[in-house]
Amino acid sequence: MKLDEIRAAEARLLLTTYDRSPVLFAGGEGVHLIDEKGDRYLDLLSGIGVNALGYNHPAIVETIARQSRALIHVSNLYYHEGQAELALRLTERTGLDRAFFANTGTEAWEGALKLARAYAGLRRSEGKEIGTKFLAMEQSFHGRTFGSMATTYKAKYREPFGPVVPGVEFVRFNDVADLRAKFSNEVCAILVEAIQGEGGVRPLTPEFFAEARALASSTRALLIVDEIQAGMGRTGKWCAYQHYGIQPDVTTLAKPLAGGIPLGAVLCTEEVARVMHAGMHGTTFGGGPLACAVGIAVIDTIEKEGLLAHATEMGKYFQERLRSLATRHESIIDVRGKGLMIAAELDSADLAKLTVAEMLKRRILINCTSETVLRFLPPFIVERAHVDAAIEALDEIFTEHAATHSAHAGGKLHG
C-alpha cells in the first residue's frame, strides 16, 4: 500500500490518537530510517528513545532470529532461561536486588506504585505510622494508564479521563522548601524522574534529589525513580540517578531495554520485595523469552561496543555544537541534558513546531516537547558527522526564520 492509501485506511479504521507526520517508513539501517521511496532519514529521536542500537543492529537481528526459532512465548506459570539472566544483569548494573518484567514503561510504573502502596500496608500491619499518599513532581510524565496518568502533571493527560486515581499531590520541580512542606507520615513514596523527559529534559538538582532521599529515608517511605526514558545508558550511565550518587528503593526501565521489542522492568530492594507474594501481581506477556533474550543482547552489546562512554562523548559534543549555535541565534535560550538526552529550548512554541517540520523536510527526525523544547534522543551509535549534519540544518532553519521575521518587521515598520 502507498502512503495515501494507508492514511485513508487509518482515517477509517483507527482511533485518532496520533497526529502522524506524512512519511511511510519501510526499513532502517544504523542511525537512518528509510521510506518507501528509498530516501534515508537521520533519526535523532530513535523511536522516542527506544532504538538505542539504531536499526537492524546485527546483535538484535540475530538474537530475534535465533530465539524465535526456539521459543517466543511461554506462560509465566513456567520457567524459561531469560528472566533470571536478564534480572542478574539489571540488578548488577542498578544496585537493586530484584526485578519484575512488564511489557511497557507505564505498566512498570503501575507496578512500582503498587509496590509502594503494598509496602506501606505491610508497615502499618507492623505497627508503623505511614499513609498512602504519593508526592509527584510538577511537569512529570509517567505514562497513560490510570495510576501513571494520576502521577503525571499536565492536566491535558488527566482531565479527559477523570476522576483519576486519588492520593497524589504535586511538588514544584526542584523546590526543596515545597517538598519539605508537603512531605509527612502520610506519604508512602516520593516519585521523581532524575531527568524529566516529556517535561522538557530537565534534570533534578543535586540538592533536591538529596533532600528527597533524606525525607523518604526519615520515615521509610520509598524513593521511586522513573528511568524509563533516561535509563539503560542514555545519559552515559546505566541509570541517570547514578550521576547523583543516590540510590532509590525502586526504579523503572523500559524504552531501549529490548531494542524495540516491548519490555519494561521494575527493580527494587530486597526490603521492598518482601511485600510481594504469588498472585499479588502478574502479566501475560511481560518478560517473555523473546524480549528477555533481546534485552540481554542489548546490555551485552552496549558494554562490548563501549557505548556508555560513546554516549558521554557524543552528548558533550552535541551540546557544545548546540551552544555554539546559540551564540549565533538568540532564539535558542537554553541547552541542557546529559549524555544523549539533550534539549535546546527556544523562545517560541511556533518556532519549535516550525523547526521540527523543517528538519523533517531535510530528512532529519527530532521532536518538540513542552511546546518550546527541541528534544534529541539519538541512537547510542550516533557519530560526529550526524551531529554536524543536524547542526548545519538547524543553523539554516534559524537563519531563514530570522531573515523572514526581520523582513516582516521591516515591512510593518515602513508600512
Side-chain angles (χ1 to χ4, degrees):
M1 294 176 72
K2 300 297 183 184
L3 175 60
D4 289 344
E5 295 173 316
I6 290 174
R7 292 179 74 180
E10 287 199 358
R12 291 195 314 273
L13 299 167
L14 299 187
L15 289 177
T16 55
T17 50
Y18 303 112
D19 184 14
R20 302 194 203 274
S21 297
V23 186
L24 174 59
F25 287 118
E29 181 181 21
V31 297
H32 292 94
L33 277 165
I34 303 168
D35 70 14
E36 87 283 10
K37 300 172 187 175
D39 292 330
R40 297 167 71 86
Y41 291 70
L42 174 59
D43 185 3
L44 297 181
L45 191 58
S46 62
I48 314 185
V50 170
N51 297 303
L53 302 184
Y55 296 92
N56 278 307
H57 192 289
I60 293 178
V61 173
E62 291 165 11
T63 300
I64 290 173
R66 181 177 65 254
Q67 186 62 44
S68 66
R69 287 192 295 266
L71 187 64
I72 292 175
H73 172 76
V74 65
S75 166
N76 277 310
L77 296 174
Y78 310 102
Y79 293 98
H80 67 80
E81 292 180 341
Q83 286 198 17
E85 190 175 347
L86 179 56
L88 177 62
R89 280 166 170 75
L90 291 174
T91 54
E92 286 179 339
R93 287 156 182 81
T94 61
L96 293 164
D97 302 313
R98 290 183 179 264
F100 173 84
F101 294 110
N103 302 284
T104 63
T106 193
E107 289 173 75
W109 192 249
E110 293 282 339
L113 298 179
K114 288 174 74 173
L115 272 175
R117 287 274 175 87
Y119 184 67
L122 175 65
R123 296 199 59 235
R124 285 193 298 275
S125 74
E126 296 171 342
K128 307 300 181 183
E129 190 176 323
I130 189 164
T132 60
K133 184 176 176 181
F134 293 114
L135 291 185
M137 300 300 112
E138 291 188 358
Q139 308 311 322
S140 61
F141 182 91
H142 297 294
R144 297 176 186 271
T145 50
F146 259 85
S148 299
M149 182 176 62
T151 59
T152 290
Y153 178 70
K154 288 185 180 177
K156 70 177 183 179
Y157 296 118
R158 292 182 283 111
E159 286 182 350
F161 309 104
V164 297
V165 176
V168 180
E169 184 173 9
F170 291 98
V171 174
R172 288 192 293 274
F173 187 65
N174 279 334
D175 188 328
V176 172
D178 195 45
L179 176 64
R180 287 174 180 159
K182 289 173 178 172
F183 185 80
S184 70
N185 282 339
E186 287 301 308
V187 174
C188 68
I190 300 174
L191 315 174
V192 301
E193 299 157 89
I195 302 175
Q196 290 189 333
E198 296 296 322
V201 190
R202 292 182 169 88
L204 288 179
T205 61
E207 295 78 13
F208 187 92
F209 210 171
E211 185 65 14
R213 177 67 278 178
L215 288 172
S217 297
S218 71
T219 63
R220 286 177 60 194
L222 301 185
L223 177 63
I224 305 180
V225 182
D226 179 340
E227 292 277 345
I228 290 163
Q229 187 169 135
M232 286 299 296
R234 176 153 295 282
T235 67
K237 290 186 181 291
W238 285 108
C239 289
Y241 64 73
Q242 292 169 329
H243 292 284
Y244 295 81
I246 288 174
Q247 189 69 15
D249 301 293
V250 182
T251 194
T252 53
L253 300 169
K255 289 187 179 293
L257 179 53
I261 301 295
L263 184 63
V266 188
L267 301 167
C268 67
T269 62
E270 195 72 51
E271 167 65 15
V272 174
R274 70 190 179 96
V275 306
M276 280 293 175
H277 56 74
M280 280 185 71
H281 193 49
T283 171
T284 296
F285 295 106
L290 182 63
C292 285
V294 179
I296 292 163
V298 167
I299 291 171
D300 291 352
T301 301
I302 288 172
E303 292 190 332
K304 181 181 177 182
E305 297 187 2
L307 293 179
L308 295 182
H310 186 71
T312 300
E313 178 189 348
M314 286 299 99
K316 287 179 179 176
Y317 181 68
F318 208 149
Q319 287 201 53
E320 286 170 3
R321 293 301 317 273
L322 285 169
R323 290 195 175 97
S324 177
L325 193 65
T327 65
R328 303 195 299 277
H329 300 285
E330 61 183 18
S331 55
I332 304 174
I333 61 174
D334 191 25
V335 173
R336 57 182 178 264
K338 199 78 173 176
L340 291 174
M341 187 174 182
I342 300 168
E345 186 165 0
L346 307 185
D347 62 1
S348 158
D350 289 341
L351 177 57
K353 186 175 181 180
L354 172 71
T355 302
V356 172
E358 287 295 320
M359 290 289 274
L360 181 63
K361 289 178 184 177
R362 291 160 174 80
R363 297 177 188 152
I364 300 175
L365 306 180
I366 63 170
N367 85 331
C368 175
T369 187
S370 290
E371 297 186 345
T372 59
V373 178
L374 301 180
R375 178 170 54 172
F376 306 91
L377 302 170
F380 299 176
I381 59 172
V382 70
E383 298 290 349
R384 289 185 176 223
H386 305 128
V387 174
D388 293 342
I391 296 299
E392 182 179 340
L394 289 168
D395 192 16
E396 186 178 275
I397 292 164
F398 294 142
T399 299
E400 290 176 358
H401 173 76
T404 302
H405 185 75
S406 176
H408 287 165
K412 288 178 182 178
L413 186 64
H414 290 298

mmCIF file of all heavy atoms in Angstrom, residues 176-213:
data_model
loop_
_atom_site.group_PDB
_atom_site.id
_atom_site.type_symbol
_atom_site.label_atom_id
_atom_site.label_comp_id
_atom_site.label_asym_id
_atom_site.label_seq_id
_atom_site.Cartn_x
_atom_site.Cartn_y
_atom_site.Cartn_z
ATOM 1 N N VAL A 176 12.999 22.712 47.022
ATOM 2 C CA VAL A 176 13.241 21.946 48.242
ATOM 3 C C VAL A 176 12.253 22.340 49.339
ATOM 4 O O VAL A 176 11.731 21.485 50.068
ATOM 5 C CB VAL A 176 14.700 22.144 48.722
ATOM 6 C CG1 VAL A 176 14.908 21.520 50.096
ATOM 7 C CG2 VAL A 176 15.671 21.544 47.709
ATOM 8 N N ALA A 177 11.976 23.616 49.461
ATOM 9 C CA ALA A 177 11.054 24.085 50.506
ATOM 10 C C ALA A 177 9.660 23.506 50.294
ATOM 11 O O ALA A 177 8.985 23.105 51.260
ATOM 12 C CB ALA A 177 11.017 25.609 50.521
ATOM 13 N N ASP A 178 9.204 23.471 49.063
ATOM 14 C CA ASP A 178 7.873 22.921 48.767
ATOM 15 C C ASP A 178 7.832 21.427 49.060
ATOM 16 O O ASP A 178 6.837 20.909 49.586
ATOM 17 C CB ASP A 178 7.511 23.199 47.311
ATOM 18 C CG ASP A 178 6.037 22.987 47.022
ATOM 19 O OD1 ASP A 178 5.204 23.447 47.835
ATOM 20 O OD2 ASP A 178 5.717 22.348 46.000
ATOM 21 N N LEU A 179 8.910 20.728 48.738
ATOM 22 C CA LEU A 179 8.994 19.297 49.039
ATOM 23 C C LEU A 179 8.894 19.061 50.546
ATOM 24 O O LEU A 179 8.138 18.198 51.009
ATOM 25 C CB LEU A 179 10.300 18.722 48.483
ATOM 26 C CG LEU A 179 10.586 17.252 48.798
ATOM 27 C CD1 LEU A 179 9.538 16.344 48.151
ATOM 28 C CD2 LEU A 179 11.984 16.869 48.310
ATOM 29 N N ARG A 180 9.645 19.837 51.307
ATOM 30 C CA ARG A 180 9.626 19.681 52.771
ATOM 31 C C ARG A 180 8.235 19.980 53.334
ATOM 32 O O ARG A 180 7.739 19.285 54.231
ATOM 33 C CB ARG A 180 10.643 20.622 53.412
ATOM 34 C CG ARG A 180 12.094 20.194 53.223
ATOM 35 C CD ARG A 180 13.021 21.262 53.750
ATOM 36 N NE ARG A 180 14.427 20.895 53.583
ATOM 37 C CZ ARG A 180 15.428 21.774 53.577
ATOM 38 N NH1 ARG A 180 15.167 23.080 53.723
ATOM 39 N NH2 ARG A 180 16.676 21.371 53.414
ATOM 40 N N ALA A 181 7.595 21.009 52.802
ATOM 41 C CA ALA A 181 6.288 21.414 53.306
ATOM 42 C C ALA A 181 5.218 20.352 53.043
ATOM 43 O O ALA A 181 4.292 20.185 53.853
ATOM 44 C CB ALA A 181 5.877 22.740 52.680
ATOM 45 N N LYS A 182 5.345 19.643 51.944
ATOM 46 C CA LYS A 182 4.306 18.682 51.558
ATOM 47 C C LYS A 182 4.593 17.258 52.039
ATOM 48 O O LYS A 182 3.721 16.390 51.962
ATOM 49 C CB LYS A 182 4.132 18.702 50.034
ATOM 50 C CG LYS A 182 3.477 19.991 49.551
ATOM 51 C CD LYS A 182 3.445 20.124 48.045
ATOM 52 C CE LYS A 182 2.738 21.416 47.653
ATOM 53 N NZ LYS A 182 2.836 21.692 46.183
ATOM 54 N N PHE A 183 5.808 17.020 52.522
ATOM 55 C CA PHE A 183 6.151 15.684 52.994
ATOM 56 C C PHE A 183 5.680 15.485 54.441
ATOM 57 O O PHE A 183 5.779 16.394 55.265
ATOM 58 C CB PHE A 183 7.662 15.450 52.918
ATOM 59 C CG PHE A 183 8.055 14.044 53.280
ATOM 60 C CD1 PHE A 183 7.940 13.021 52.358
ATOM 61 C CD2 PHE A 183 8.498 13.747 54.560
ATOM 62 C CE1 PHE A 183 8.272 11.719 52.697
ATOM 63 C CE2 PHE A 183 8.834 12.453 54.917
ATOM 64 C CZ PHE A 183 8.718 11.432 53.977
ATOM 65 N N SER A 184 5.167 14.282 54.714
ATOM 66 C CA SER A 184 4.737 13.924 56.067
ATOM 67 C C SER A 184 4.656 12.406 56.168
ATOM 68 O O SER A 184 4.947 11.688 55.205
ATOM 69 C CB SER A 184 3.363 14.531 56.368
ATOM 70 O OG SER A 184 2.368 13.858 55.592
ATOM 71 N N ASN A 185 4.197 11.921 57.328
ATOM 72 C CA ASN A 185 3.996 10.484 57.511
ATOM 73 C C ASN A 185 2.882 9.933 56.632
ATOM 74 O O ASN A 185 2.739 8.711 56.506
ATOM 75 C CB ASN A 185 3.676 10.162 58.977
ATOM 76 C CG ASN A 185 4.920 10.164 59.848
ATOM 77 O OD1 ASN A 185 6.028 10.020 59.344
ATOM 78 N ND2 ASN A 185 4.730 10.329 61.143
ATOM 79 N N GLU A 186 2.102 10.823 56.035
ATOM 80 C CA GLU A 186 1.038 10.378 55.127
ATOM 81 C C GLU A 186 1.600 9.911 53.781
ATOM 82 O O GLU A 186 0.909 9.253 53.022
ATOM 83 C CB GLU A 186 0.028 11.508 54.902
ATOM 84 C CG GLU A 186 -0.865 11.779 56.093
ATOM 85 C CD GLU A 186 -1.658 10.542 56.479
ATOM 86 O OE1 GLU A 186 -2.315 9.958 55.597
ATOM 87 O OE2 GLU A 186 -1.596 10.157 57.662
ATOM 88 N N VAL A 187 2.844 10.252 53.493
ATOM 89 C CA VAL A 187 3.452 9.955 52.178
ATOM 90 C C VAL A 187 4.057 8.555 52.197
ATOM 91 O O VAL A 187 4.893 8.237 53.045
ATOM 92 C CB VAL A 187 4.533 11.006 51.839
ATOM 93 C CG1 VAL A 187 5.272 10.619 50.565
ATOM 94 C CG2 VAL A 187 3.899 12.387 51.703
ATOM 95 N N CYS A 188 3.646 7.732 51.242
ATOM 96 C CA CYS A 188 4.245 6.393 51.125
ATOM 97 C C CYS A 188 5.377 6.375 50.106
ATOM 98 O O CYS A 188 6.216 5.468 50.142
ATOM 99 C CB CYS A 188 3.199 5.345 50.767
ATOM 100 S SG CYS A 188 2.484 5.465 49.111
ATOM 101 N N ALA A 189 5.427 7.364 49.203
ATOM 102 C CA ALA A 189 6.507 7.377 48.211
ATOM 103 C C ALA A 189 6.660 8.760 47.590
ATOM 104 O O ALA A 189 5.673 9.472 47.377
ATOM 105 C CB ALA A 189 6.259 6.352 47.107
ATOM 106 N N ILE A 190 7.907 9.124 47.322
ATOM 107 C CA ILE A 190 8.244 10.305 46.530
ATOM 108 C C ILE A 190 8.621 9.817 45.141
ATOM 109 O O ILE A 190 9.455 8.905 44.991
ATOM 110 C CB ILE A 190 9.412 11.094 47.154
ATOM 111 C CG1 ILE A 190 9.049 11.561 48.571
ATOM 112 C CG2 ILE A 190 9.791 12.286 46.275
ATOM 113 C CD1 ILE A 190 10.198 12.228 49.312
ATOM 114 N N LEU A 191 8.003 10.402 44.120
ATOM 115 C CA LEU A 191 8.142 9.943 42.742
ATOM 116 C C LEU A 191 8.887 10.978 41.917
ATOM 117 O O LEU A 191 8.450 12.131 41.825
ATOM 118 C CB LEU A 191 6.763 9.709 42.129
ATOM 119 C CG LEU A 191 5.736 8.963 42.992
ATOM 120 C CD1 LEU A 191 4.382 8.940 42.288
ATOM 121 C CD2 LEU A 191 6.209 7.550 43.311
ATOM 122 N N VAL A 192 10.000 10.588 41.322
ATOM 123 C CA VAL A 192 10.786 11.546 40.543
ATOM 124 C C VAL A 192 11.306 10.903 39.267
ATOM 125 O O VAL A 192 11.409 9.678 39.155
ATOM 126 C CB VAL A 192 11.999 12.098 41.338
ATOM 127 C CG1 VAL A 192 11.549 12.800 42.607
ATOM 128 C CG2 VAL A 192 12.995 10.989 41.668
ATOM 129 N N GLU A 193 11.621 11.742 38.296
ATOM 130 C CA GLU A 193 12.493 11.391 37.177
ATOM 131 C C GLU A 193 13.812 12.117 37.437
ATOM 132 O O GLU A 193 13.801 13.326 37.678
ATOM 133 C CB GLU A 193 11.910 11.868 35.854
ATOM 134 C CG GLU A 193 10.563 11.262 35.495
ATOM 135 C CD GLU A 193 9.799 12.147 34.524
ATOM 136 O OE1 GLU A 193 9.976 11.981 33.296
ATOM 137 O OE2 GLU A 193 9.038 13.014 35.009
ATOM 138 N N ALA A 194 14.941 11.412 37.396
ATOM 139 C CA ALA A 194 16.227 12.084 37.593
ATOM 140 C C ALA A 194 16.413 13.182 36.553
ATOM 141 O O ALA A 194 16.949 14.256 36.846
ATOM 142 C CB ALA A 194 17.367 11.081 37.523
ATOM 143 N N ILE A 195 15.955 12.898 35.340
ATOM 144 C CA ILE A 195 15.875 13.916 34.278
ATOM 145 C C ILE A 195 14.493 13.801 33.666
ATOM 146 O O ILE A 195 14.145 12.758 33.097
ATOM 147 C CB ILE A 195 16.947 13.710 33.193
ATOM 148 C CG1 ILE A 195 18.347 13.728 33.801
ATOM 149 C CG2 ILE A 195 16.818 14.789 32.104
ATOM 150 C CD1 ILE A 195 19.451 13.416 32.800
ATOM 151 N N GLN A 196 13.689 14.840 33.794
ATOM 152 C CA GLN A 196 12.357 14.800 33.198
ATOM 153 C C GLN A 196 12.473 14.775 31.680
ATOM 154 O O GLN A 196 13.183 15.590 31.093
ATOM 155 C CB GLN A 196 11.535 16.007 33.634
ATOM 156 C CG GLN A 196 11.131 15.968 35.096
ATOM 157 C CD GLN A 196 10.140 17.052 35.456
ATOM 158 O OE1 GLN A 196 10.108 18.121 34.823
ATOM 159 N NE2 GLN A 196 9.336 16.810 36.483
ATOM 160 N N GLY A 197 11.773 13.832 31.051
ATOM 161 C CA GLY A 197 11.835 13.701 29.598
ATOM 162 C C GLY A 197 10.780 14.534 28.903
ATOM 163 O O GLY A 197 11.070 15.574 28.311
ATOM 164 N N GLU A 198 9.519 14.085 28.991
ATOM 165 C CA GLU A 198 8.425 14.843 28.375
ATOM 166 C C GLU A 198 8.309 16.230 28.990
ATOM 167 O O GLU A 198 7.791 17.151 28.365
ATOM 168 C CB GLU A 198 7.101 14.087 28.562
ATOM 169 C CG GLU A 198 7.035 12.744 27.861
ATOM 170 C CD GLU A 198 7.107 12.867 26.356
ATOM 171 O OE1 GLU A 198 6.519 13.813 25.800
ATOM 172 O OE2 GLU A 198 7.763 12.004 25.750
ATOM 173 N N GLY A 199 8.803 16.383 30.208
ATOM 174 C CA GLY A 199 8.751 17.681 30.879
ATOM 175 C C GLY A 199 9.764 18.684 30.365
ATOM 176 O O GLY A 199 9.852 19.802 30.883
ATOM 177 N N GLY A 200 10.571 18.289 29.366
ATOM 178 C CA GLY A 200 11.492 19.247 28.748
ATOM 179 C C GLY A 200 12.964 18.975 28.983
ATOM 180 O O GLY A 200 13.784 19.885 28.890
ATOM 181 N N VAL A 201 13.323 17.717 29.286
ATOM 182 C CA VAL A 201 14.720 17.335 29.548
ATOM 183 C C VAL A 201 15.289 18.228 30.647
ATOM 184 O O VAL A 201 16.261 18.955 30.470
ATOM 185 C CB VAL A 201 15.579 17.374 28.269
ATOM 186 C CG1 VAL A 201 16.948 16.734 28.511
ATOM 187 C CG2 VAL A 201 14.880 16.643 27.115
ATOM 188 N N ARG A 202 14.644 18.157 31.800
ATOM 189 C CA ARG A 202 15.036 18.981 32.953
ATOM 190 C C ARG A 202 15.575 18.080 34.061
ATOM 191 O O ARG A 202 14.838 17.256 34.596
ATOM 192 C CB ARG A 202 13.833 19.795 33.459
ATOM 193 C CG ARG A 202 13.395 20.872 32.474
ATOM 194 C CD ARG A 202 12.232 21.687 33.033
ATOM 195 N NE ARG A 202 11.990 22.863 32.228
ATOM 196 C CZ ARG A 202 11.205 22.898 31.163
ATOM 197 N NH1 ARG A 202 10.573 21.803 30.779
ATOM 198 N NH2 ARG A 202 11.032 24.011 30.466
ATOM 199 N N PRO A 203 16.835 18.238 34.433
ATOM 200 C CA PRO A 203 17.416 17.397 35.485
ATOM 201 C C PRO A 203 17.061 17.896 36.881
ATOM 202 O O PRO A 203 16.913 19.099 37.116
ATOM 203 C CB PRO A 203 18.919 17.504 35.235
ATOM 204 C CG PRO A 203 19.094 18.823 34.538
ATOM 205 C CD PRO A 203 17.840 19.083 33.767
ATOM 206 N N LEU A 204 16.934 16.955 37.809
ATOM 207 C CA LEU A 204 16.832 17.334 39.210
ATOM 208 C C LEU A 204 18.127 17.994 39.652
ATOM 209 O O LEU A 204 19.213 17.612 39.197
ATOM 210 C CB LEU A 204 16.605 16.094 40.085
ATOM 211 C CG LEU A 204 15.246 15.403 40.040
ATOM 212 C CD1 LEU A 204 15.266 14.191 40.961
ATOM 213 C CD2 LEU A 204 14.121 16.349 40.430
ATOM 214 N N THR A 205 18.029 18.968 40.556
ATOM 215 C CA THR A 205 19.245 19.495 41.159
ATOM 216 C C THR A 205 19.757 18.492 42.191
ATOM 217 O O THR A 205 18.969 17.751 42.799
ATOM 218 C CB THR A 205 18.979 20.831 41.865
ATOM 219 O OG1 THR A 205 18.021 20.614 42.920
ATOM 220 C CG2 THR A 205 18.459 21.876 40.881
ATOM 221 N N PRO A 206 21.065 18.445 42.417
ATOM 222 C CA PRO A 206 21.587 17.545 43.452
ATOM 223 C C PRO A 206 20.961 17.801 44.818
ATOM 224 O O PRO A 206 20.711 16.853 45.580
ATOM 225 C CB PRO A 206 23.091 17.856 43.442
ATOM 226 C CG PRO A 206 23.374 18.357 42.059
ATOM 227 C CD PRO A 206 22.142 19.120 41.661
ATOM 228 N N GLU A 207 20.698 19.060 45.123
ATOM 229 C CA GLU A 207 20.126 19.409 46.427
ATOM 230 C C GLU A 207 18.717 18.830 46.576
ATOM 231 O O GLU A 207 18.371 18.285 47.636
ATOM 232 C CB GLU A 207 20.080 20.933 46.597
ATOM 233 C CG GLU A 207 21.436 21.611 46.636
ATOM 234 C CD GLU A 207 22.081 21.775 45.266
ATOM 235 O OE1 GLU A 207 21.391 21.593 44.230
ATOM 236 O OE2 GLU A 207 23.291 22.082 45.228
ATOM 237 N N PHE A 208 17.914 18.952 45.530
ATOM 238 C CA PHE A 208 16.540 18.452 45.606
ATOM 239 C C PHE A 208 16.528 16.930 45.700
ATOM 240 O O PHE A 208 15.791 16.346 46.508
ATOM 241 C CB PHE A 208 15.744 18.910 44.380
ATOM 242 C CG PHE A 208 14.282 18.576 44.456
ATOM 243 C CD1 PHE A 208 13.385 19.482 44.985
ATOM 244 C CD2 PHE A 208 13.804 17.350 43.999
ATOM 245 C CE1 PHE A 208 12.025 19.169 45.066
ATOM 246 C CE2 PHE A 208 12.456 17.038 44.080
ATOM 247 C CZ PHE A 208 11.559 17.946 44.617
ATOM 248 N N PHE A 209 17.350 16.275 44.882
ATOM 249 C CA PHE A 209 17.396 14.816 44.875
ATOM 250 C C PHE A 209 17.854 14.298 46.243
ATOM 251 O O PHE A 209 17.285 13.347 46.797
ATOM 252 C CB PHE A 209 18.342 14.344 43.770
ATOM 253 C CG PHE A 209 17.992 13.005 43.176
ATOM 254 C CD1 PHE A 209 18.653 12.558 42.043
ATOM 255 C CD2 PHE A 209 17.024 12.178 43.721
ATOM 256 C CE1 PHE A 209 18.362 11.330 41.473
ATOM 257 C CE2 PHE A 209 16.719 10.943 43.160
ATOM 258 C CZ PHE A 209 17.390 10.522 42.036
ATOM 259 N N ALA A 210 18.881 14.934 46.806
ATOM 260 C CA ALA A 210 19.383 14.517 48.112
ATOM 261 C C ALA A 210 18.323 14.701 49.196
ATOM 262 O O ALA A 210 18.174 13.855 50.090
ATOM 263 C CB ALA A 210 20.641 15.312 48.465
ATOM 264 N N GLU A 211 17.571 15.792 49.121
ATOM 265 C CA GLU A 211 16.520 16.028 50.118
ATOM 266 C C GLU A 211 15.395 15.007 49.970
ATOM 267 O O GLU A 211 14.840 14.525 50.978
ATOM 268 C CB GLU A 211 15.967 17.446 49.981
ATOM 269 C CG GLU A 211 14.958 17.833 51.046
ATOM 270 C CD GLU A 211 15.550 17.891 52.455
ATOM 271 O OE1 GLU A 211 16.791 17.900 52.596
ATOM 272 O OE2 GLU A 211 14.759 17.932 53.419
ATOM 273 N N ALA A 212 15.043 14.664 48.733
ATOM 274 C CA ALA A 212 14.015 13.642 48.518
ATOM 275 C C ALA A 212 14.445 12.313 49.134
ATOM 276 O O ALA A 212 13.646 11.627 49.789
ATOM 277 C CB ALA A 212 13.740 13.475 47.028
ATOM 278 N N ARG A 213 15.722 11.966 48.954
ATOM 279 C CA ARG A 213 16.234 10.726 49.527
ATOM 280 C C ARG A 213 16.208 10.791 51.062
ATOM 281 O O ARG A 213 15.798 9.824 51.730
ATOM 282 C CB ARG A 213 17.649 10.482 49.035
ATOM 283 C CG ARG A 213 18.394 9.263 49.592
ATOM 284 C CD ARG A 213 17.812 7.928 49.167
ATOM 285 N NE ARG A 213 16.670 7.542 49.981
ATOM 286 C CZ ARG A 213 15.959 6.428 49.773
ATOM 287 N NH1 ARG A 213 16.289 5.617 48.768
ATOM 288 N NH2 ARG A 213 14.936 6.128 50.542
#
